[in-house]
Amino acid sequence: MIHPASGWRGFNLIDLFSTSVRWKEFWSLDDRGQVPEEDFEMIRDLGFTFVRLPVSYLFLGKGPYGRTPDPDRMHLVDRVIALGQQYGVHVSLNIHRAPGYCCLSTSQFDFAERDNLFTDDEPLAAYITWWRTFAERYRDVPQADLSFDLLNEPINVDEAAFNRTFLPAIEAIHAVNPDRYIMVEGSFRAHGSFDAGGAVDVVEMVPPTAAAVALPNVISSMHLYHPLGLTRYNCAWAAPSDLEPPTWPYRPTLAAGAAPRTLTGDEGKLWDKETLRELIAPYIELVKAGHPVHVGEMGAWPGFAHDVYLDYCRDVVDLLTENGMGYALWAFRGPFGVIDNGFSDAEYETYHGLPLDRQLAQILKNEGASR
């Protein structure tokens, strides 16, 4: 039986992902956290069926440190779910910033949490309360219309901390609605920094623990930004790259005039479709065993040639489609998206008065994905 997640293809709508105004330097985010209805219309009409909604609890909370769910703020999420139902687009609600954790806490564009979700009792209790609140509020929303994505990009989380954090959250949700699909993101094991440009060494992709995978209605989720030297090439929040502009296939090479250094780890590889296949092999094995997998984020910063990006995306989409995995770009509008994504050499089509990267959109629909 084919799981619905294999056909979920679309985008992240990011107006609620962070309360830090610095991210508005790169994306046009609504000050009120209102996702434009027009985005759902365009997504549907372009032939996509999936939206991931990353949220910061600070948009929706009240009380000390904003950690108590505020019913008067939940209309921001209510509206997105209703728009998804209106336009026939599945919505996956993701906690991007949780009490005690955000993958962007170390970024110059964001800010740190006051404690640690994975080790401290208070943020864990608050985190579970958030998921219980969402589960109860959306109890009657059909399974086909709404899923939950527990936490964005847990980094360097060991098995014990993973189970301590996520198993109670799954239990709390399924105690309210056992049919709710729950996406659980595996841990990123980082050697080096995600935001260090050419200094990145290795980022491993580790699936959720066996205890999480064994639970009913759980979907394993991963994010596919490999190779980082390509997808983050000269990214605005990373250090300037000392590598030559990417090609595809891609073998990282020091730029002329760069300070000599040895390229190791991910930078020492030839990257092509087969390298990506090796990278996600643990997830491919999960699919073969009958467990669904979905890619919640992917895409690239527009810092290199558009035709190279299209070639890379063809291989990514081919690979994921071959293995029954759905996927979503990090954004719909702006960098990493298909609307106004910033590639200087792309041929854009005017769509709803906006520049659409139609070539990329067709590839993402798996139209022309195979050479």
Side-chain angles (χ1 to χ4, degrees):
M1 179 178 178
I2 298 176
H3 194 279
S6 66
W8 290 342
R9 299 173 180 171
F11 309 91
N12 284 252
L13 297 181
I14 64 174
D15 293 274
L16 287 166
F17 96 95
S18 177
T19 56
S20 171
V21 298
R22 291 294 307 277
W23 295 111
K24 293 182 180 180
E25 297 176 23
F26 314 114
W27 289 285
S28 179
L29 306 176
D30 186 271
D31 291 333
R32 304 162 299 162
Q34 295 271 5
V35 175
E37 178 175 350
E38 184 182 30
D39 286 5
F40 278 90
E41 181 183 358
M42 289 190 286
I43 288 168
R44 178 200 63 189
D45 291 349
L46 287 170
F48 296 94
T49 59
F50 178 86
V51 156
R52 181 172 179 261
L53 181 71
V55 302
S56 167
Y57 73 92
L58 296 174
F59 263 112
L60 307 172
K62 64 180 180 179
Y65 307 103
R67 290 192 168 181
T68 301
D70 184 354
D72 292 334
R73 299 287 295 164
M74 291 294 178
H75 66 88
L76 294 170
V77 177
D78 298 347
R79 180 173 176 276
V80 173
I81 295 171
L83 287 172
Q85 292 178 303
Q86 178 181 343
Y87 287 94
V89 174
H90 181 92
V91 173
S92 186
L93 173 60
N94 162 250
I95 292 185
H96 191 280
R97 176 178 287 272
Y101 182 77
C102 179
C103 70
L104 299 175
S105 288
T106 60
S107 168
Q108 61 178 309
F109 297 101
D110 225 292
F111 52 90
E113 281 290 307
R114 57 187 288 269
D115 47 17
N116 190 324
L117 171 64
F118 297 106
T119 60
D120 301 337
D121 291 341
E122 190 279 330
L124 177 60
Y127 172 73
I128 293 171
T129 295
W130 276 97
W131 277 121
R132 184 179 295 110
T133 299
F134 287 138
E136 291 172 347
R137 188 174 185 90
Y138 305 120
R139 177 197 303 264
D140 296 326
V141 177
Q143 184 189 60
D145 297 341
L146 177 68
S147 59
F148 293 155
D149 181 339
L150 291 185
L151 185 69
N152 186 75
E153 294 184 2
I155 298 173
N156 294 333
V157 178
D158 64 25
E159 182 174 358
F162 196 97
N163 287 340
R164 172 188 177 272
T165 304
F166 298 124
L167 297 187
I170 295 169
E171 181 181 6
I173 293 166
H174 280 166
V176 177
N177 185 340
D179 292 332
R180 184 66 63 210
Y181 288 133
I182 300 175
M183 296 202 188
V184 185
E185 298 182 25
S187 177
F188 289 77
R189 303 284 170 83
H191 307 267
S193 170
F194 281 98
D195 293 333
V200 169
D201 187 4
V202 176
V203 180
E204 298 177 74
M205 314 242 310
V206 181
T209 62
V213 168
L215 295 174
N217 288 323
V218 164
I219 301 167
S220 290
S221 178
M222 65 174 173
H223 294 177
L224 188 52
Y225 289 118
H226 282 68
L228 294 182
L230 182 150
T231 65
R232 302 286 180 89
Y233 186 76
N234 282 339
C235 183
W237 57 84
S241 179
D242 63 353
L243 302 174
E244 291 287 351
T247 59
W248 189 255
Y250 176 48
R251 183 179 290 281
T253 306
L254 282 175
R261 65 184 180 89
T262 301
L263 300 182
T264 60
D266 287 351
E267 289 186 334
K269 297 178 181 179
L270 169 65
W271 286 92
D272 58 16
K273 183 177 178 181
E274 295 312 308
T275 315
L276 294 174
R277 190 188 307 276
E278 294 172 9
L279 173 77
I280 68 169
Y283 290 92
I284 293 174
E285 291 305 310
L286 286 177
V287 174
K288 289 179 179 177
H291 180 76
V293 173
H294 189 270
V295 178
E297 292 184 22
M298 62 185 197
W301 180 264
F304 57 102
H306 185 249
D307 61 349
V308 172
Y309 183 42
L310 296 182
D311 286 344
Y312 164 75
C313 285
R314 286 188 185 97
D315 275 352
V316 169
V317 169
D318 270 352
L319 178 62
L320 298 179
T321 302
E322 287 169 12
N323 289 285
M325 302 177 190
Y327 46 83
L329 287 190
W330 159 241
F332 179 58
R333 302 186 188 219
F336 294 82
V338 294
I339 298 288
D340 196 18
N341 60 20
F343 281 91
S344 60
D345 57 339
E347 296 181 6
Y348 292 104
E349 170 189 326
T350 300
Y351 185 72
H352 286 243
L354 299 166
L356 167 67
D357 188 342
R358 175 72 73 174
Q359 289 177 292
L360 177 57
Q362 289 177 332
I363 289 171
L364 292 169
K365 287 193 294 181
N366 205 29
E367 295 180 4
S370 298
R371 290 182 178 85

